[in-house]
Amino acid sequence: MEYTMIRNISEGKQGEWIALPVSKNTGKKLPDETRPYTAFEVLTNFYGEDMNLVLGNYINLELETIQRSGAMQEAASARLMSYCYKMTRSRIRQSTDQTVVDFIVRGDMEGVHKDTGEIIFESMDFRIRYLLDMRPCSQAVIGPMINPDQGDDELLMSYSIVANDYLLPIMYAKDYEIVAREMFEHYYPEMKNQIGEFVLDPMDLAQRMGITVYEVSFPDEVTMGQLYYSTDIVTLLDAVGKPHRVKVNPATMLISKDKCTSEGIKNSTIVHECCHMYLDRWFFLLQMMSGRKTACYTNKRKGQKKSYKKNTPIDWMELQCDKLPAYLLLEKESLTSFVDKKLNQIKGTMTPAQMHTIIASVSAKFHVSFAMAKYRMIELGYYEAGGISCFQDSTMIPDHGCSGNWPENTTYTISADSVLALMDRDDHLAMTLKSGRYRYVEGHFCLNHSKYLIYDRAGRIHLTEYARIHMNECCIAFTVSGRYTKSNYQMGQVSRAKTTPVTDKYLPEYNLTAELKISTLLGRQKSTILKML
């Protein structure tokens, strides 16, 4: 057994020097290339860590420490009967040569009462701490250091981004602005003294992160970008379309010059891969510790996007790296400053045409796609952007707006398939739509009245111009929430793939609930909220 001397950090701060065993991959088990592994699985399946033995030895030797923590206080001796794994605690952005990972396990103990000799039973949670040297040239596990669990300590809490069992970041809506700010502070310290609106150069960001970017032609029709964490051999197309094998080095990003046909798509793709490097490096290095020769990658293919009630770890990783680029390319203070200046130039009520012009100016100013500009503006509270450049069944519908403020988390557009699903779940909605009071026009359910509907010479029905700028008066509103995607897990690299129909990656899929506004044709409106079952 190999040992190393390190400072004891089992209490969350550096203590005395102690000798700890160093474990290497045993090589007894080959990794399953179709799935990712948790940190607990990597240590127990591939590094030979026996948690039952580890915890059993600790309980035998450290009964006094356990008693000081409030368990087995009347026992003269104790032993481990069984244990169960509960969770992993860690945080990303740690040094990859000493990444602290804590495994929380529940230990069921049996002891002998010190006075009566009776058998007593008690359970408590333990923290089994390891240091992971995740560098591809080392790949070692140092530990364990064991203590009764007291929750996160100062050492881990000094890193802001909590990780899950796969060492992937756990991020909520409020965290994206925080992470974006951290990235700016780390890679653009000069921003602290910058005056004016900041426009990110994605190639400059990649360079500052130590990533080399190449524009290439991929042999498949879906891949837009790939990021490599280790040396690999890949197949690309040469200038005449002939496949050839190329060696790529770690921290290499390949961008499709065939698929990234606009500045906005290219920029979002580069930043997407940079986000993988910033957020997911620990996950990929962990997978390599299982014995893989190359890193792991996710890949979305045409026709693969669906709605799911639960996401896999890979899905969450892709969702995060789909969303974060907008926070970098459209930095909050810079964007709001720019948009507010545009809004101040508008006199009177905002029209859909004026909002369309503002979104286009944001797209041009910050070198992003129109869709990314639109959805980032919505996220920052400019809800009127929700009626601009909407697609229904791959067809763009006319821009629309409200007579007042656009309600938060609201859309007036819904697909026929989505509304059929809602009708199956809500009888009240089904009865209302079947009553004839509403017509489905241009992706909206609009009151069936000549004030709002008009026929063209070919007999096709459309919304009137009045209806398009008074959606809150005449159309059913639907609240939007969440999105889910499905990804495959494969070997090799992080891959960004083209979606179909072509939309920006920042565009979410919506689950829909409806707030129905029922009215007589000329009478007073009455609002009824339809609850989802």
Side-chain angles (χ1 to χ4, degrees):
M1 174 71 72
E2 178 185 351
Y3 286 83
T4 188
M5 297 295 294
I6 68 164
R7 292 278 192 180
N8 187 349
I9 56 172
S10 61
E11 299 295 338
K13 54 186 177 181
Q14 289 195 351
E16 61 184 9
W17 288 93
I18 58 174
L20 289 176
V22 178
S23 302
K24 298 281 188 177
N25 193 315
T26 63
K28 295 179 179 179
K29 184 175 181 179
L30 295 176
D32 180 351
E33 298 181 358
T34 65
R35 53 154 294 189
Y37 289 96
T38 66
F40 189 80
E41 290 174 321
V42 168
L43 265 67
T44 56
N45 291 355
F46 301 103
Y47 283 75
E49 293 299 309
D50 186 339
M51 297 299 179
N52 190 74
L53 178 62
V54 164
L55 186 57
N57 288 339
Y58 176 80
I59 292 172
N60 289 335
L61 298 173
E62 297 292 338
L63 178 58
E64 291 183 4
T65 303
I66 294 171
Q67 291 172 333
R68 286 196 297 270
S69 297
M72 302 299 285
Q73 292 182 327
E74 302 300 321
S77 62
R79 70 181 185 91
L80 178 68
M81 296 178 60
S82 63
Y83 85 92
C84 66
Y85 164 79
K86 292 185 64 177
M87 63 181 295
T88 295
R89 287 202 196 108
S90 189
R91 304 206 175 200
I92 67 167
R93 306 302 304 160
Q94 298 186 62
S95 171
T96 54
D97 64 339
Q98 283 196 355
T99 297
V100 176
V101 180
D102 292 341
F103 301 112
I104 311 304
V105 301
R106 168 62 59 92
D108 299 320
M109 298 174 287
E110 177 188 75
V112 178
H113 196 284
K114 61 184 178 182
D115 296 326
T116 65
E118 294 180 350
I119 302 298
I120 55 178
F121 302 94
E122 199 160 352
S123 299
M124 73 177 302
D125 291 345
F126 295 90
R127 184 191 67 194
I128 305 177
R129 170 166 290 181
Y130 285 88
L131 299 180
L132 274 57
D133 187 344
M134 308 176 76
R135 296 172 297 176
C137 59
S138 301
Q139 293 188 336
V141 172
I142 302 169
M145 293 168 276
I146 310 176
N147 281 96
D149 180 41
Q150 302 294 328
D152 273 344
D153 56 29
E154 293 180 5
L155 177 63
L156 281 181
M157 291 179 68
S158 63
Y159 301 93
S160 62
I161 309 177
V162 177
N164 65 10
D165 292 1
Y166 295 85
L167 303 191
L168 283 169
I170 299 174
M171 293 176 62
Y172 300 96
K174 63 180 177 60
D175 297 321
Y176 287 90
E177 293 287 5
I178 297 172
V179 172
R181 179 53 49 191
E182 287 183 355
M183 292 183 69
F184 283 129
E185 291 177 354
H186 186 78
Y187 296 109
Y188 291 89
E190 68 271 19
M191 277 186 65
K192 292 182 179 180
N193 302 317
Q194 180 169 322
I195 300 176
E197 292 148 1
F198 174 78
V199 178
L200 179 68
D201 180 352
M203 291 293 287
D204 180 56
L205 174 63
Q207 183 178 11
R208 293 183 184 220
M209 295 182 70
I211 301 172
T212 304
V213 182
Y214 297 100
E215 293 188 58
V216 301
S217 293
F218 293 105
D220 63 78
E221 297 182 355
V222 295
T223 303
M224 299 174 70
Q226 295 178 339
L227 175 66
Y228 288 80
Y229 291 84
S230 63
T231 302
D232 203 353
I233 305 296
V234 299
T235 300
L236 301 173
L237 300 181
D238 62 19
V240 296
K242 183 178 179 180
H244 67 290
R245 303 280 283 172
V246 178
K247 179 181 178 181
V248 295
N249 295 318
T252 296
M253 185 189 303
L254 304 181
I255 299 297
S256 173
K257 59 185 178 183
D258 306 305
K259 312 300 184 304
C260 298
T261 54
S262 70
E263 184 179 35
I265 295 175
K266 178 180 177 181
N267 287 345
S268 62
T269 299
I270 292 173
V271 178
H272 175 99
E273 303 300 348
C274 288
C275 291
H276 271 303
M277 179 63 80
Y278 190 82
L279 295 176
D280 305 324
R281 185 187 318 164
W282 293 263
F283 166 79
F284 287 103
L285 293 177
L286 176 69
Q287 302 312 308
M288 292 170 67
M289 289 182 70
S290 69
R292 294 182 167 103
K293 301 302 180 183
T294 59
C296 315
Y297 77 100
T298 58
N299 201 354
K300 295 178 183 176
R301 300 285 178 178
K302 287 184 178 180
Q304 199 175 67
K305 190 174 182 181
K306 300 178 182 179
S307 294
Y308 287 80
K309 292 185 178 180
K310 184 176 181 180
N311 281 314
T312 69
I314 310 306
D315 295 326
W316 284 123
M317 177 178 69
E318 284 300 320
L319 287 172
Q320 290 168 357
C321 290
D322 283 348
K323 186 172 183 178
L324 184 57
Y327 292 75
L328 299 168
L329 289 162
L330 296 163
E331 191 267 332
K332 180 179 180 180
E333 284 75 16
S334 298
L335 177 60
T336 54
S337 173
F338 181 79
V339 173
D340 288 345
K341 289 178 184 177
K342 296 292 183 181
L343 291 174
N344 289 335
Q345 298 171 4
I346 297 174
K347 305 299 182 181
T349 303
M350 165 77 66
T351 67
Q354 289 169 324
M355 178 52 70
H356 193 288
T357 299
I358 291 176
I359 298 173
S361 65
V362 170
S363 174
K365 167 76 173 180
F366 294 94
H367 311 294
V368 300
S369 68
F370 189 96
M372 180 178 283
K374 167 185 170 177
Y375 287 102
R376 179 65 166 141
M377 285 176 60
I378 294 172
E379 196 163 46
L380 291 177
Y382 303 102
Y383 304 122
E384 292 80 4
I388 309 302
S389 293
C390 296
F391 284 82
Q392 191 54 57
D393 297 325
S394 301
T395 301
M396 183 177 289
I397 61 176
D399 292 344
H400 50 280
C402 293
S403 55
N405 293 328
W406 187 289
E408 184 177 358
N409 296 329
T410 296
T411 182
Y412 294 94
T413 306
I414 185 172
S415 69
D417 289 341
S418 295
V419 81
L420 286 173
L422 280 176
M423 290 172 66
D424 286 341
R425 299 169 64 180
D426 195 296
D427 292 338
H428 192 170
L429 176 62
M431 291 176 61
T432 300
L433 296 183
K434 292 176 181 178
S435 69
R437 289 196 295 269
Y438 290 85
R439 293 287 301 273
Y440 185 64
V441 183
E442 298 176 359
H444 316 289
F445 276 97
C446 182
L447 284 169
N448 188 8
H449 188 265
S450 59
K451 183 179 181 180
Y452 309 118
L453 303 177
I454 190 172
Y455 290 87
D456 62 20
R457 293 181 178 179
R460 293 169 299 199
I461 193 169
H462 303 277
L463 296 184
T464 63
E465 286 301 317
Y466 180 87
R468 289 174 185 162
I469 60 176
H470 294 81
M471 301 296 288
N472 54 315
E473 177 181 323
C474 58
C475 293
I476 298 177
F478 298 90
T479 60
V480 297
S481 61
R483 70 158 178 180
Y484 296 95
T485 62
K486 185 67 176 177
S487 302
N488 280 346
Y489 185 82
Q490 301 178 29
M491 299 287 291
Q493 62 278 334
V494 183
S495 176
R496 186 165 192 252
K498 187 176 180 181
T499 59
T500 182
V502 179
T503 59
D504 191 271
K505 297 285 280 188
Y506 196 61
L507 175 64
E509 267 183 69
Y510 293 124
N511 294 324
L512 299 121
T513 58
E515 181 183 27
L516 181 59
K517 294 191 173 181
I518 305 173
S519 83
T520 59
L521 294 183
L522 294 175
R524 187 177 179 181
Q525 292 187 339
K526 177 181 178 181
S527 297
T528 303
I529 297 177
L530 301 180
K531 295 182 64 178
M532 292 291 295
L533 299 180

